[in-house]
Amino acid sequence: MNDEARIWINALELRSRRALSAEEAAAIASMPMRRRQLAADEHLSREGDRPARCAYVLDGTLYQTKLTRGGDRQIIGLRLKREFVGLQDILLQTRAHDVQALTACCLLQVDADDLRTVMREHPGIAEILMVDIMISCSIAQDWIVNVGRRDALSRVAHFLCELALRMQGGALSPGASYVLPLTQLQLGDAVGLGRIAVNRVMRELTRLGVASCDKSCITILDPAKLEEIGDFTARYLHLAQSERERRKSDRDISNRRRAGDFPAAALSGARTGTSSLPVMTERAQTAKSDVSQLPLRRAR
């Protein structure tokens, strides 16, 4: 078995947290694979292309984008090192978005027809790949919430939390650092903000002592507070979590559900002349005041 096949097999076993059977491993090894280098900004595929290949990212970062009629760009997803790219399109006739190299990348590609054949003949492999696709959908859903319902400060904080976990795995820890592969303009295209607003948010996160940005290096100083500001719960990433982290996620979700009852409770209180809304904490009041000064418009 060659090194390229072993890389794909290891990736699938990591996704499924089980060893592939001998037959499944042989099926993966039977697919021709080739490495491909992409320079920064080079397109892997464009909207409207027929999905001919999918790949495993050996190194680098790619981003998925959509353009409006006026030429504005929205980054709708990232594909990082040790992730698959193009799986969501292998059962479709055309690609619905552009895929472009954010940094220099090295990919390990397989032919989409070959992979479809393997999936039909080996349901276990198909299930692993479908789980990967569903996780991508779960992340996309949270990105919609991030752009549509969170304020500027929360959007960026949430994005930084997600990227740290996807790049490093495990729990967020104080002092954890990673290289942010996006410029402030590109970060704005991912969270629906202009470059000026992103710059102000990054300065505010530094002032609050939760994260620092030295050029492209992000250091998380206070993970718990960064998660609080970003309204971040890692469950949607479907990573392997410790029991402590699962309990924290459960508490966060329970708190959100209770928060969803506040408007109805407030309305009931208004009828009786009382209010059941909780008093804002000093931290929440401060954060709200800070956020209110941050523009959401895509100022370039």
Side-chain angles (χ1 to χ4, degrees):
M1 184 180 299
N2 58 39
D3 291 342
E4 284 77 12
R6 174 50 60 188
I7 289 171
W8 261 75
I9 290 170
N10 287 343
L12 293 173
E13 290 180 338
L14 180 64
R15 289 292 186 278
S16 62
R17 302 185 183 94
R18 70 169 179 86
L20 297 188
S21 68
E23 293 79 10
E24 290 171 335
I28 295 297
S30 70
M31 294 189 299
M33 301 182 184
R34 70 180 184 91
R35 295 184 184 235
R36 179 176 176 182
Q37 302 287 338
L38 289 178
D41 298 325
E42 184 178 353
H43 277 81
L44 175 65
S45 60
R46 293 182 182 273
E47 183 175 356
D49 288 350
R50 179 183 179 276
R53 287 169 294 277
C54 56
Y56 181 70
V57 183
L58 297 174
D59 197 21
T61 301
L62 300 104
Y63 61 127
Q64 300 156 301
T65 64
K66 294 281 287 187
L67 292 176
T68 68
R69 182 181 300 176
D72 288 330
R73 177 182 64 182
Q74 180 70 39
I75 295 177
I76 60 173
L78 296 177
R79 309 312 297 169
L80 309 178
K81 182 179 179 179
R82 294 185 294 274
E83 294 183 353
F84 292 100
V85 58
L87 287 180
Q88 67 268 35
D89 297 325
I90 59 175
L91 300 179
L92 304 175
Q93 296 300 312
T94 58
R95 295 198 189 276
H97 55 263
D98 291 352
V99 181
Q100 193 172 357
L102 185 60
T103 66
C105 294
C106 179
L107 310 177
L108 185 55
Q109 292 186 318
V110 299
D111 186 86
D113 290 334
D114 291 338
L115 187 57
R116 282 192 290 266
T117 299
V118 168
M119 291 172 66
R120 283 194 297 268
E121 296 175 352
H122 299 274
I125 293 176
E127 182 178 348
I128 295 170
L129 295 177
M130 287 304 298
V131 167
D132 191 275
I133 293 170
M134 292 301 99
I135 292 174
S136 296
C137 292
S138 178
I139 293 172
Q141 289 166 357
D142 220 78
W143 279 41
I144 292 172
V145 176
N146 207 37
V147 172
R149 290 298 178 183
R150 295 188 179 109
D151 55 58
L153 193 66
S154 295
R155 291 184 200 183
V156 176
H158 188 279
F159 184 88
L160 295 180
C161 288
E162 177 188 309
L163 206 59
L165 287 180
R166 289 176 62 188
M167 294 180 76
Q168 298 181 334
L172 298 178
S173 58
S177 297
Y178 64 92
V179 175
L180 184 68
L182 301 94
T183 65
Q184 289 189 351
L185 179 60
Q186 291 164 339
L187 176 55
D189 286 342
V191 298
L193 297 173
R195 181 178 55 82
I196 295 173
V198 169
N199 183 268
R200 293 178 64 184
V201 167
M202 297 302 294
R203 293 201 308 268
E204 181 65 9
L205 291 174
T206 300
R207 187 190 70 80
L208 293 172
V210 296
S212 68
C213 179
D214 182 9
K215 295 182 179 179
S216 60
C217 182
I218 301 296
T219 301
I220 298 175
L221 304 174
D222 189 337
K225 190 172 179 182
L226 186 65
E227 289 178 341
E228 180 185 354
I229 292 172
D231 185 29
F232 181 81
T233 299
R235 187 176 294 276
Y236 73 97
L237 296 174
H238 299 279
L239 300 170
Q241 292 180 298
S242 68
E243 184 60 32
R244 179 183 63 80
E245 290 164 341
R246 280 194 293 271
R247 288 198 300 268
K248 179 182 180 301
S249 290
D250 289 340
R251 286 197 303 272
D252 289 343
I253 291 170
S254 295
N255 290 338
R256 291 178 184 186
R257 287 172 179 162
R258 285 196 296 270
D261 293 334
F262 288 162
L267 183 59
S268 174
R271 294 193 189 104
T272 61
T274 62
S275 175
S276 57
L277 280 172
V279 177
M280 292 181 69
T281 64
E282 181 179 352
R283 175 186 291 180
Q285 290 173 333
T286 302
K288 186 72 174 178
S289 176
D290 292 336
V291 167
S292 67
Q293 303 303 317
L294 295 170
L296 297 183
R297 184 172 57 86
R298 284 177 173 271
R300 300 284 180 176

